[in-house]
Amino acid sequence: MDSRHISERSSPDSSPCISWPSTPATHPDELFDDASFPSDNEQFVLVTGGLGFIGSHTVLELLISGYNVIIVDDLSNSFQEVFTRILTIANRHFLAIGGHCPKAEFHNLSYRDLASMRALLESHYPYSLPGVQRPSNIIGVIHFAAYKAVEESIHQPLKYYQNNINGLVDFMTLLDEFNIKTFIFSSSASVYGTLADGIPLLREEHCVHENLTYRDSDGVENCAQQGCTGITNPYGRTKFFGEAILSDLAKSDPSWNIVGLRYFNPVGCDASGLLGEDPKGVPSNLLPVTVKVMTGQIPELAVYGGDWDTPDGTTVRDFIHVTDLARGHIAALAATNNGNIKGGYRAFNLGTGTGYSVLEVVDAMESVSQRPIPRRVVSRRAGDVQCSVAAVERARKELGWETKKTLRDACEDMWHYLKHGGETGRLRNGLGPTLEER
């Protein structure tokens, strides 16, 4: 039986809300007419950009971990059907283990639409008795709603500063008004800039927002000074500035608990084959472009530079399976809510600690798929660095998190996604058959 219940409501400036309650065995007619209205004892996690690549996988892991979720996404780089896929996978999970899938709301709006966001936050602010102040039932926010294409940021810097910085400041001001002060920020390894070229493993202390001393892996004491070195593009600067703003906010008001998660290079997709990386625009990340080559949308893979000082001449990155990355957000949220984060702001690398070159990744995908992937070496791309690999001890010790999946797992999951009709945008636009049909 299809247990979905979809309700739509509009605030003065908002787009419709779609809400799926956690009642796998209940017929929709038995539910309240407005299923999107939360009860007083429910708690939710708000996820902006929750239908994008990393956001959708994080929403799925939140549901599997027992959290009710509110998704805000304007669909500028994602598809609404991703919401259906998330709930399908989550309901299958709970059907297999027993129990009920938590609730999920989807709001089709921009996090920068402050009137609509205010209405949304008000709807999750339980009524209080006279003289009794009750908190919001939103226990934390995970913020993914940022532009992220390095090359585009070089050509359109104002677009990135408006959304990633101005939008962040306005959003934090609104959350502060509603006393929602647990915040997980989507940051990036790009904050390390050109430091990445000279350091085998990038530590969180290599980019800090206040002076501190620390001991390296050899026990030698070092002094880290606030600031950054050689950030190569506006996207990376928006992440550094965003971290600095959040660090300043937490320092000024100790009631904030903020975590900045510095992603390295997420790849792969959920093992179900229903979720993948499917941007609306032209992809720039390695595996999405490789997918377009494999599906015949572009003739060959452009490899940006074959003369880097690496074993095979191509750039080296720390490729992390997106499911591991998503689990890192759940670990950060739990650690924050449990009071295990040191200070009001704390940054963590999310990576594997191992680097692979571009050609090694392409070779791994060829091995899994048993299909050749044409490639051609072209000139270096503006904004790239030679090598970027994470030191991961802080996340392991303080968040209790570490990766479980390998690069081959990521390639196998991506191949499974493609064989089962992945790339919803391609199929929707009639751009070619699935790989099973080719």
Side-chain angles (χ1 to χ4, degrees), residues 5-7 19-21 31-38 103 105:
H5 179 76
I6 301 178
S7 65
S19 177
W20 291 16
L31 300 171
F32 293 110
D33 289 338
D34 188 357
S36 61
F37 190 82
K103 292 185 177 180
E105 295 178 13

Side-chain angles (χ1 to χ4, degrees), residues 185-239:
F185 179 62
S186 170
S187 191
S188 167
S190 62
V191 300
Y192 295 114
T194 52
L195 280 176
D197 288 336
I199 300 175
L201 294 177
L202 292 163
R203 294 175 57 117
E204 290 86 351
E205 293 90 351
H206 292 143
C207 177
V208 296
H209 302 286
E210 57 182 355
N211 296 341
L212 56 83
T213 58
Y214 69 97
R215 293 190 180 276
D216 62 22
S217 57
D218 296 322
V220 177
E221 187 172 279
N222 293 270
C223 179
Q225 293 188 331
Q226 62 181 345
C228 58
T229 301
I231 295 179
T232 59
N233 54 80
Y235 163 71
R237 278 186 279 278
T238 68
K239 290 303 182 182

Side-chain angles (χ1 to χ4, degrees), residues 19-41:
S19 177
W20 291 16
S22 57
T23 51
T26 304
H27 191 276
D29 291 342
E30 298 173 8
L31 300 171
F32 293 110
D33 289 338
D34 188 357
S36 61
F37 190 82
S39 65
D40 287 350
N41 60 352

Side-chain angles (χ1 to χ4, degrees), residues 51-53 74-79 147-149 152 156 159-160 277-285 287-292 295 297-298 423-426 428-429 431:
L51 297 187
F53 175 45
D74 65 2
L75 304 181
S76 60
N77 197 34
S78 58
F79 299 96
Y147 296 135
K148 63 176 184 176
E152 182 186 55
Q156 301 183 55
K159 173 182 176 179
Y160 278 69
E277 186 166 7
D278 186 20
K280 282 183 175 177
V282 178
S284 58
N285 294 336
L287 273 188
V289 176
T290 302
V291 164
K292 289 194 175 295
T295 55
Q297 297 178 61
I298 56 178
E423 273 214 294
T424 56
R426 174 179 62 84
R428 177 186 295 103
N429 293 314
L431 294 177

Side-chain angles (χ1 to χ4, degrees), residues 394-431:
R394 180 183 287 187
R396 184 182 63 81
K397 290 180 179 179
E398 297 182 24
L399 302 182
W401 170 90
E402 58 187 356
T403 59
K404 297 180 179 179
K405 292 178 175 286
T406 65
L407 175 62
R408 186 171 183 88
D409 290 332
C411 292
E412 288 177 348
D413 289 340
M414 178 66 79
W415 180 238
H416 181 56
Y417 170 68
L418 290 175
K419 287 196 299 182
H420 288 77
E423 273 214 294
T424 56
R426 174 179 62 84
L427 297 174
R428 177 186 295 103
N429 293 314
L431 294 177

Side-chain angles (χ1 to χ4, degrees), residues 28-353:
D29 291 342
E30 298 173 8
L31 300 171
F32 293 110
D33 289 338
D34 188 357
S36 61
F37 190 82
S39 65
D40 287 350
N41 60 352
E42 293 174 334
Q43 293 183 326
F44 288 79
V45 177
L46 172 62
V47 182
T48 65
L51 297 187
F53 175 45
I54 303 172
S56 62
H57 286 80
T58 301
V59 168
L60 174 61
E61 294 300 318
L62 283 166
L63 292 172
I64 288 173
S65 299
Y67 292 94
N68 297 314
V69 182
I70 306 161
I71 302 167
V72 168
D73 198 304
D74 65 2
L75 304 181
S76 60
N77 197 34
S78 58
F79 299 96
Q80 185 167 314
E81 62 200 78
V82 172
F83 182 56
T84 306
R85 294 179 176 219
I86 292 170
L87 268 292
T88 298
I89 302 168
N91 277 313
R92 287 179 182 174
H93 169 81
F94 285 99
L95 183 63
I97 68 169
H100 297 290
C101 180
K103 292 185 177 180
E105 295 178 13
F106 166 55
H107 297 261
N108 180 3
L109 57 91
S110 168
Y111 91 103
R112 296 191 65 196
D113 181 348
L114 296 181
S116 295
M117 289 299 298
R118 179 181 299 279
L120 171 58
L121 296 183
E122 287 174 347
S123 74
H124 282 270
Y125 203 86
Y127 295 105
S128 298
L129 296 173
V132 179
Q133 182 65 43
R134 301 183 64 183
S136 169
N137 64 13
I138 297 174
I139 62 170
V141 177
I142 304 178
H143 181 52
F144 294 107
Y147 296 135
K148 63 176 184 176
V150 168
E151 193 166 10
E152 182 186 55
S153 77
I154 294 172
H155 298 292
Q156 301 183 55
L158 292 181
K159 173 182 176 179
Y160 278 69
Y161 290 124
Q162 285 173 343
N163 184 78
N164 295 8
I165 299 300
N166 294 0
L168 176 65
V169 171
D170 290 341
F171 188 38
M172 300 306 291
T173 302
L174 185 63
L175 293 178
D176 186 64
E177 180 181 331
F178 284 85
N179 202 36
I180 301 170
K181 295 188 173 182
T182 296
F183 192 79
I184 311 299
F185 179 62
S186 170
S187 191
S188 167
S190 62
V191 300
Y192 295 114
T194 52
L195 280 176
D197 288 336
I199 300 175
L201 294 177
L202 292 163
R203 294 175 57 117
E204 290 86 351
E205 293 90 351
H206 292 143
C207 177
V208 296
H209 302 286
E210 57 182 355
N211 296 341
L212 56 83
T213 58
Y214 69 97
R215 293 190 180 276
D216 62 22
S217 57
D218 296 322
V220 177
E221 187 172 279
N222 293 270
C223 179
Q225 293 188 331
Q226 62 181 345
C228 58
T229 301
I231 295 179
T232 59
N233 54 80
Y235 163 71
R237 278 186 279 278
T238 68
K239 290 303 182 182
F240 174 79
F241 295 153
E243 284 194 15
I245 290 165
L246 297 173
S247 176
D248 288 344
L249 175 60
K251 190 174 182 179
S252 71
D253 180 355
S255 65
W256 279 96
N257 290 292
I258 303 174
V259 170
L261 298 179
R262 296 172 178 171
Y263 309 158
F264 279 68
N265 290 74
V267 291
C269 56
D270 184 69
S272 67
L274 292 179
L275 284 181
E277 186 166 7
D278 186 20
K280 282 183 175 177
V282 178
S284 58
N285 294 336
L286 177 58
L287 273 188
V289 176
T290 302
V291 164
K292 289 194 175 295
V293 176
M294 297 175 71
T295 55
Q297 297 178 61
I298 56 178
E300 60 187 6
L301 174 69
V303 177
Y304 294 103
D307 58 349
W308 298 92
D309 186 17
T310 61
D312 64 18
T314 63
T315 56
V316 171
R317 296 289 182 268
D318 188 333
F319 293 95
I320 176 175
H321 196 293
V322 67
T323 298
D324 282 331
L325 186 66
R327 290 192 305 100
H329 292 78
I330 282 74
L333 181 65
T336 302
N337 285 329
N338 291 335
N340 296 333
I341 299 298
K342 299 177 181 178
Y345 174 83
R346 190 74 165 160
F348 295 92
N349 289 337
L350 293 186
T352 67

